[in-house]
Amino acid sequence: MVYARTLAKEPENKTVYTGEIFDINRAGARIRLLENGAAAFIPGKLIVDNKERIECNADLGTISVDKALEYRLGDTLEVVLTEVNQETRSLVAKPTKEYAPLPQTEEETQS
């Protein structure tokens, strides 16, 4: 894959790309970068770092955060590459949109 070599320095550069979701599975989403056609994977944990808050539903083709629909097949979103692995020729991306942490409950703040 030429993309792995071409995009090797992009995680350092934090270049923002537009990705179109073409597959959703329980681990996350696969996207196509519109700028160059490269395919990348967005793991669910890079969307929101709490697996209780995210649901990736392959049957419905949706990703929900805090029970609210956030992404579906065909959606476009801004991403940055976080990892380019030249051995496996894989690209890992994360959305530029960040989700606020859940407010702590009184119980959690006292412990």
Side-chain angles (χ1 to χ4, degrees):
M1 177 186 226
V2 175
Y3 295 117
R5 270 185 274 142
T6 308
L7 300 171
K9 295 197 186 303
E10 293 310 304
E12 297 165 24
N13 298 340
K14 300 201 183 315
T15 305
V16 176
Y17 293 96
T18 301
E20 181 179 352
I21 299 172
F22 70 86
D23 181 42
I24 293 174
N25 59 47
R26 64 189 174 106
R30 295 195 18 90
I31 62 169
R32 174 115 14 240
L33 301 180
L34 299 182
E35 289 81 357
N36 55 30
F41 179 67
I42 303 175
K45 68 180 180 183
L46 291 183
I47 296 172
V48 63
D49 193 20
N50 178 338
K51 66 181 178 183
E52 303 294 316
R53 295 179 64 191
I54 187 167
E55 179 191 358
C56 300
N57 189 317
D59 294 334
L60 297 175
T62 60
I63 297 174
S64 299
V65 175
D66 299 330
K67 308 261 187 247
L69 177 65
E70 287 295 327
Y71 304 109
R72 62 172 39 116
L73 287 172
D75 282 356
T76 57
L77 65 156
E78 288 188 339
V79 298
V80 292
L81 295 179
T82 59
E83 181 185 328
V84 176
N85 186 324
Q86 296 204 37
E87 283 183 28
T88 60
R89 298 186 200 120
S90 62
L91 307 176
V92 177
K94 76 174 200 168
T96 57
K97 179 177 181 178
E98 295 193 17
Y99 294 90
L102 287 176
Q104 289 189 332
T105 63
E106 224 175 280
E107 216 173 82
E108 292 173 327
T109 52
Q110 292 177 354
S111 50

